[in-house]
C-alpha cells in the first residue's frame, strides 16, 4: 500500500464514539449519481494504519460535504444500510435519497435503509426502515436482527443483551446471544383478515386460511398472516399440487400477488415447499423490495400458516435462499420467536 493510501485507510467505526470495529474492514466513500466528477471514489480494504492527521482531515472534509456515515449489515443476504440516528427523531435522508442509496449500481446497494432513533413509549430505541423503493414498511425481521447487532456495536456492548425496540408493528424485543445469533420475540401473529389486511373472505373463524386467489388462470391456495406487516403464504395452487419453489419466476408472478386488489396495503408473498414437518423451504417476493434472499417476518408467517393448514409443527427450520432461520410459534403465549444471524459487511460514508 502506498503512503497516501495508508493515510486514507482508517476504520469507519472511529466515527462512532463507542464502536470497536475489526481491523479488517475499510472505509468506503462513494458519490451519488450526478455528483460532480471531482468527488472521486476512494476505497481501501486495509485498515491497519493508525489514525493520522491526514485521515482525520479527510473525514472532516467528508462531513463538510454532507457525508452520511453508515455500516452495511446483512442477515442471510438480506442487506441493510444502518444509520446512527440517535440524535434526532427525523431520518437523516429522505425516501427519495433512500432509493438512491439502495441502488446497486449508482449507490451503496441494499434492500433497505434502517435508522436507529431515540426510543419512545418506554422503548430503548426506535427502528424506522425504508425499502429500496423508498416506501416505509412497518418493520423487518432480518432488519431487526441487524438493528440489534448494530446497537451492540455503537454502544460497545459485550455478551448477552436484549432491547425494547419501538417499530411500526409495535414493541419488538431482540436478544443477542454469545454465538452471534439474535433471537427475536416477534409478538403474536395477526390472523383476522381485515387486520392483515386482505379483502379475501374468512374461511376459518375470522382468519383467511387456504382461500382461493386467482392469478394468471390458476387458483392459488393462500393463507394470510400479519406479523405487523402483511403476508400472503401459498403452498401451491389447485392446478399445481407439488410446488417446487426453485422453478418459480418470481419477477413474473411476485408483483401480481403484491399488487392484487385483494390486498389494499399490498402484500409480501411467500411460496413454500414442505420438506418435512419441521423443515420448510421458501422464496419470497417482498413488498417494495422484490425478490430478496431472506425475509424474517415472512419466515414467521410461513410457520404460522403451515401450522394453521396442518402441514408442520410449531418449531421449524425455514430454509431461505440466503440460509436457514429457526422459527417457533409457542402455544403457551401465542408469540412467534425467530433466531438467526446478522453481521456487519463494511463501513463507509457517502455524499448525499
Amino acid at each position: 500500500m502506498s503512503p497516501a493510501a495508508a493515510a486514507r485507510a482508517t476504520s469507519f467505526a472511529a466515527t462512532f464514539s463507542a464502536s470497536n470495529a475489526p481491523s479488517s474492514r475499510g472505509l468506503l466513500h462513494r458519490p451519488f449519481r450526478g455528483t460532480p466528477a471531482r468527488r472521486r471514489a476512494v476505497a481501501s480494504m486495509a485498515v491497519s494504519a493508525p489514525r493520522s492527521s491526514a485521515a482525520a482531515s479527510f473525514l472532516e472534509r467528508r462531513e463538510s460535504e454532507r457525508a452520511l456515515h453508515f455500516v452495511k449489515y446483512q442477515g442471510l443476504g438480506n442487506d441493510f444500510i444502518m444509520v446512527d440516528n440517535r440524535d434526532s427523531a427525523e431520518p437523516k435522508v429522505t425516501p427519495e435519497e433512500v432509493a438512491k442509496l439502495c441502488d446497486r449500481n449508482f449507490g451503496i446497494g441494499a434492500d433497505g435503509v434502517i435508522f436507529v432513533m431515540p426510543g419512545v413509549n418506554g422503548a430503548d430505541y426506535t427502528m424506522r426502515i425504508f425499502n429500496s423503493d423508498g416506501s416505509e414498511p412497518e418493520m423487518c425481521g432480518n432488519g431487526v436482527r441487524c438493528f440489534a447487532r448494530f446497537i451492540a456495536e455503537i454502544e460497545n456492548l459485550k455478551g448477552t443483551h436484549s432491547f425494547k425496540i419501538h417499530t411500526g408493528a409495535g414493541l419488538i424485543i431482540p436478544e443477542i446471544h454469545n454465538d452471534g445469533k439474535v433471537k427475536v420475540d416477534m409478538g403474536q401473529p395477526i390472523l383476522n383478515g381485515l387486520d392483515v389486511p386482505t379483502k379475501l373472505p374468512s374461511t376459518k373463524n375470522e382468519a383467511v386460511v387456504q382461500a382461493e386467489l386467482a392469478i394468471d388462470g390458476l387458483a392459488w391456495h393462500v393463507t394470510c398472516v400479519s406479523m405487523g406487516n402483511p403476508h400472503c403464504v401459498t403452498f401451491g395452487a389447485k392446478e399445481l399440487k407439488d410446488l417446487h419453489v426453485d422453478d418459480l419466476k418470481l419477477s413474473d408472478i411476485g408483483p401480481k400477488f403484491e399488487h392484487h386488489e385483494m390486498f389494499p396495503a399490498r402484500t409480501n408473498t411467500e411460496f413454500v415447499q414442505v420438506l418435512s414437518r419441521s423443515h420448510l423451504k421458501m422464496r419470497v417476493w417482498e413488498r417494495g423490495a422484490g425478490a430478496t434472499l431472506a425475509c424474517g417476518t415472512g419466515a414467521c408467517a410461513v410457520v404460522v400458516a403451515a401450522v394453521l393448514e396442518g402441514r408442520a409443527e410449531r418449531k421449524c427450520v425455514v430454509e431461505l435462499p440466503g440460509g436457514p432461520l429457526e422459527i417457533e410459534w409457542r402455544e403457551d403465549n401465542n408469540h412467534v420467536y425467530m433466531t438467526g444471524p446478522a453481521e456487519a459487511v463494511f463501513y463507509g460514508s457517502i455524499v448525499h
Side-chain angles (χ1 to χ4, degrees):
M1 176 186 293
S2 68
R8 288 195 299 268
T10 181
S11 172
F12 176 74
T15 64
F16 296 109
S17 60
S19 178
N20 291 316
S23 61
S24 62
R25 292 167 179 151
L27 174 71
L28 174 68
H29 171 74
R30 183 179 297 167
F32 264 147
R33 183 182 187 183
T35 303
R38 63 182 178 82
R39 295 178 180 171
R40 185 172 58 86
V42 177
S44 174
M45 291 305 294
V47 294
S48 57
R51 183 179 175 87
S52 66
S53 59
S57 63
F58 171 78
L59 288 177
E60 289 167 2
R61 288 199 303 274
R62 298 305 74 165
E63 280 288 358
S64 67
E65 295 175 359
R66 296 184 67 236
L68 176 73
H69 299 307
F70 67 90
V71 183
K72 177 80 171 288
Y73 268 77
Q74 64 89 12
L76 298 182
N78 203 189
D79 54 346
F80 306 96
I81 299 163
M82 310 297 299
V83 178
D84 184 358
N85 213 121
R86 290 173 296 167
D87 58 351
S88 173
E90 291 296 323
K92 292 183 177 180
V93 298
T94 66
E96 293 75 19
E97 289 176 317
V98 163
K100 293 180 180 179
L101 289 171
C102 292
D103 190 292
R104 298 187 185 276
N105 296 108
F106 296 102
I108 299 164
D111 291 324
V113 178
I114 296 177
F115 299 91
V116 178
M117 308 181 83
V120 297
N121 301 328
D124 299 308
Y125 305 95
T126 295
M127 169 180 162
R128 287 188 67 181
I129 175 172
F130 289 82
N131 291 321
S132 58
D133 67 353
S135 62
E136 183 174 8
E138 297 82 359
M139 70 93 60
C140 171
N142 287 317
V144 79
R145 296 199 316 277
C146 293
F147 187 101
R149 291 292 300 274
F150 184 46
I151 287 295
E153 181 170 10
I154 61 180
E155 298 282 13
N156 198 28
L157 302 176
K158 306 297 181 183
T160 301
H161 288 274
S162 63
F163 319 102
K164 293 179 180 179
I165 300 175
H166 175 75
T167 74
L171 191 67
I172 301 294
I173 304 176
E175 181 180 85
I176 300 173
H177 291 179
N178 288 326
D179 61 2
K181 290 184 178 181
V182 181
K183 183 175 183 177
V184 185
D185 180 350
M186 301 290 287
Q188 301 185 40
I190 298 168
L191 301 179
N192 184 297
L194 293 176
D195 294 331
V196 170
T198 179
K199 295 179 181 179
L200 288 168
S202 300
T203 59
K204 187 175 182 180
N205 297 325
E206 295 181 339
V208 178
V209 180
Q210 289 186 299
E212 286 194 3
L213 182 69
I215 291 181
D216 281 351
L218 297 180
W220 291 85
H221 294 145
V222 303
T223 293
C224 298
V225 179
S226 172
M227 293 302 306
N229 56 351
H231 292 271
C232 171
V233 180
T234 181
F235 296 85
K238 181 184 295 185
E239 303 84 355
L240 188 65
K241 299 298 182 183
D242 297 318
L243 180 62
H244 297 281
V245 295
D246 289 335
D247 296 337
L248 292 172
K249 293 183 179 180
L250 285 189
S251 59
D252 290 341
I253 194 169
K256 295 173 183 177
F257 277 84
E258 178 184 355
H259 297 281
H260 198 284
E261 63 181 358
M262 289 293 103
F263 304 110
R266 296 190 291 162
T267 189
N268 301 283
T269 308
E270 287 76 35
F271 301 89
V272 193
Q273 187 174 339
V274 179
L275 303 180
S276 76
R277 291 190 62 81
S278 60
H279 190 184
L280 308 173
K281 183 177 182 179
M282 66 168 264
R283 292 181 68 192
V284 59
W285 180 268
E286 291 198 53
R287 178 186 60 168
T292 61
L293 295 178
C295 177
T297 55
C300 294
V302 160
V303 171
V304 171
V307 171
L308 291 175
E309 294 190 21
R311 299 177 185 272
E313 305 299 332
R314 285 180 170 264
K315 190 173 183 178
C316 292
V317 171
V318 181
E319 183 181 331
L320 305 102
L325 283 174
E326 301 166 35
I327 307 295
E328 181 180 8
W329 183 20
R330 290 187 186 169
E331 194 168 9
D332 58 350
N333 63 5
N334 198 37
H335 283 224
V336 181
Y337 295 84
M338 170 190 63
T339 304
E343 63 180 9
V345 180
F346 63 83
Y347 300 75
S349 59
I350 186 167
V351 176
H352 70 105

